[in-house]
Amino acid sequence: MRAIRRFTVHPVLPEPLRPLADLAGNLCWYWNEPTKELFRAMDPLLWEATGHDPRKLLSRIDAKRLAALAQDARFTRKVEHAREDLEDYLTVDRWYQGFAAAHPGAPERIAYFSAEFGVTEVLPQYSGGLGILAGDHLKAASDSGIPIIGVGLLYRHGYFRQSLDAQGWQQERYPLLAPLDLPLTLLRDDAGEPVTVEVPLREETYQVQIWVARVGRVPLLMLDSVVEGNSEAARAVTDRLYGGGVDHRLAQEVLLGIGGVRALRAYCRITGEPTPTVYHANEGHAGFLGLERIREYMNEGIDVDTAVERTRAGSLFTTHTPVPAGIDRFPRDLVADQFRTFAPLPLDRIMAFGTEDYVGGDRGVFNMAVLGFRLGQRANGVSRLHGEVSRQMFQGLWPSFDVSEVPIGSVTNGVHHKTWIHPDLLELMASPTSDSDTVVDGYDWSALDRVDDTTIWALKQRMRGDLVRMARQRLAASHTARGLSGNAEWIEHALDPNVLTLGFARRAASYKRLTLMLRDPERLKRLLNDPERPIQIVIAGKAHPADDGGKGLIQEMVRFADAEDVRERLVFLPDYDMSLARPLYPGCDVWINNPLRPQEACGTSGMKAAMNGAANLSVRDGWWDEWYDPRFGWEIPSAENVTSPDQRDAQEAAALYEIIENEIVPRFYTRDSNGVPTAWITMIRDIMSGLTPKILASRMVREYTERMYLPTALASARMAEGDHAAGTAAWKKRIRAAWPQVSVSRVTGLVSGSRALGSAMTLSAVVRLGDLTPADVEVQMVLGSVDDDDELHDIVIQPAVAGERLDDGVRYAATTVLDTSGSIGVTFRVVPKRDGLATIAEMGLATVSVD
C-alpha cells in the first residue's frame, strides 16, 4: 500500500555529538576532508551504504554506536574541532571583505540564478557542465567570502539515472527525491509556517515553496511547486530537470525567473538579508528574472522605460553556448499566452525584448539569449575563444559595430580545487604560510618541485588504482543490470593500475565526437593491446533523453567496448555523475577532448583532470585554446578548413592516434633505473605549478567580482540616485527618435595611393545631427585593415573634434599617426554618447559615412 505522508526519524544525538547535525547541515563538509573523515569514521560500512551522505548516516546509525562515540574522548575532541573550524569558516573575513573595504560601492548581496546546481551528488540537481560550473561558482564564492545567494529549482526527480540494455542502448530512470531526505530546510516565517510565493502559469496562479541548502556561506534557494492546492499541471513544473516539451520548459523558466525573484524577496524579508543589487543570469534559462524586476519597479509607480534602465544597470548575463542550437527559443504565441496578463508591464514590450529582429533572425520565436543581452547591461562568454565566437554569433544585435566592439566579454570558467583534487595530492600542496607568490588560497602550487619523483609517481599509481577499483565495481553492476549472459570473470582483470590511462567523459552531444577514437578501430586496438606499452581508456557520458543521435553514439562505443579483444582495455561506465567523476579525474594520465572547434564553450572536465596532474590531449577549443602549452599536454590540430565533415573527422582522428602512439606512449613508458618516468613526472609538476592556478574557480569568481559584479553594482546604485534612471530613459528615447536624421558626408583629406609608415593623416567630415547636439554624440575616425570587400577589421578609433558650424552640419576633424603597414581603410562614424553608458555599442546605434 502507498503511504500518504513521508517523514524522517532521526536518532537523538548525545550532547557531545550534537555539533554533527550542524556539520551535516552545511554542504561545506563535501569539500572539507577532515569533516568528511569524521563522518566516515563513525561507521565506514554505513558511510558507503548511504552514498557518503552524512544526514542519512546520522539518521540510520545505531544508537549504541552513538553512545560509544559520545564516550570516546578522542572522537569528541575532533567533533569539537570540526565545529570550531566550521564557525571560523562562516564568520572570519575572507578575500571579499578586504576587496569590499577597498572598493566603496561593492555589492552587499549578489543573486545568482541557474537552472541547475551541481554542488554534491547527495543533492542531484544537475545534468552536466552547466550545473557543475554553477555549483563550483557557489563553493568558490563561499571560500572567498563573496556574498552570493543562489536561486534554482528543486526537481523532484532530478536528472535521469543512466543504465544500458543488453544492446548498449541508454535507458533512463527517474527516482523520486524526497526533500526531507535531502540536505535542505524549508523556509518558514516567524510563526513557523512554510513560506510560499505565487507564480503565474498561463491562466492560473500557483504556489511555490522554498527550500534552502547551505553551501558554506552561500544560501541556495530551490523552488518547489509540489504544494497542496496546486493543480496537477502546476505540481508537474518541478518534476524533472530538462524534461517534457517546449510548454514544460517554458513553465520551468518562468518559475526560475519570475518565481526566483519573488522567492528572493521572501527570503530577504524573513532573514533580514540585504536585497541583492546585482542579478546574474547563468544562461538564458533565468532570463525572465528581468521581466519581474521591471514589473516590480513599475508597481512602485516608475514608468516602463525608467524601469528598464534600473533593471539593466543591475543585471549581467552569461552565455554558455557557442552554437545557435544550444539556445532556448520559444514560439512567440506561447510566450505571449504566458505573459498576456503580466501587468503593468505591457505585452508588446515583453515580446520586443526577445524578438530576433535582426538580419537572419526568426521573428516567429522568442529568444532567451536575446532577452538576456537586452536586459543585461553586461554580458560574457565562458572562455576567451567563446567570447570571440559569441561576439560573431550575436553581432546582429549590434549591426553597425565591428565584431570586436560587440559588448560581450569573457570570464573563463574555473573549477573548485577542494572538490576535484585528490585529497592526498591536495595535502602535498597545503602551505602553512602565504608569503610566496606561488601560494594561492592556502596552497602552494609549486610544492611538487620539492617532492621527489618516487613519491609523486607512487601517488599517481595509487590514484590510478582507485579508478580501476571503482571502474570494476561499476562494470560488474552494469553487467548484471544489462542481463548479459556469459562469464563476468573478465571484469576482475579489466583495466590495470600500471597502464597508461586515458579518460573521456562528457555529454554525448554530436559535436563532442565521442566516437572519433573509433575512426580506425584496428589502429585503436593495436594501441590498446600493445604487448609492451599498452594504453587503456575509461569513457563515460549521458545523452539527453530525447537525443537518439547521442544515444546511438553511446551504443556504438558500448558495442566496441563489449568485444572480448578490447573489453579489458576500454570500458564505458554508465551513469556519469559526481560520484563517478571524483575518482575518474585523478586516475587518468591523459584527458581526451576532441570537439568540433569552436563549438566547445569552455569544457571544464579537462581542467579537473589537469588539477590532478593529468595532461590534456585536446583540440584547441574552449579553455584549452587559451592556456595550451606543450608543457601541459598536446594539441590535436583542428582541420576547420576541410569542408567535408567525414574528411575532417578522418584527419583529426589520424592526428589523435599519431600523438598517442608517437609522443604520449614513449614519454609515459620511458623509465629510469627506479622504474619512474622522469619526463612524465616533470610534466605533472609543470601542470600543477603552471596551469592549476589559472583554472581555479576562486580566480573565476574574483574576476567576476572585479570585472562584472562591482561595475554592475556601481551602475545600479547610480541609476537609483535621484532621477538619473528617468533622465537616461528620456535621453535614450530622444536619441532613438532623432537618430534617423544623423548623417556623415563630405569626408575630406583622403588621398589615393600610398602613405608612409609613421606619417600623420588628418581627415574631416561634415556631420548632420538634426535635433541632437554635439554633447549627445561622439564622432570618430575609424581605421583598420580591409579585406577584399572593403570591410574593416582590427579597428582603431580616433575621436574627432567639432569645428566650424555649417549650414548643413558641423565639421569634425581627427588626426592619427599611421603606425601599421599594409592595406588600411578608414571611415567616419557617429555614436551616441552619455556618461553612464557601459559601452558605445550599448544602444546599438551608429551612423557611418557613405562617401
Side-chain angles (χ1 to χ4, degrees), residues 397-455:
L397 291 169
W398 298 273
S400 299
F401 292 87
D402 183 68
V403 170
S404 64
E405 298 176 295
V406 170
I408 303 173
S410 65
V411 177
T412 303
N413 285 343
V415 291
H416 186 245
H417 57 286
K418 290 184 180 179
T419 294
W420 297 110
I421 297 182
H422 190 282
D424 293 346
L425 178 57
L426 193 61
E427 187 176 351
L428 289 178
M429 304 287 177
S431 175
T433 65
S434 57
D435 59 352
S436 169
D437 292 341
T438 60
V439 176
V440 181
D441 298 327
Y443 295 92
D444 185 350
W445 301 107
S446 67
L448 291 190
D449 292 346
R450 298 182 294 277
V451 179
D452 64 272
D453 288 358
T454 303
T455 299

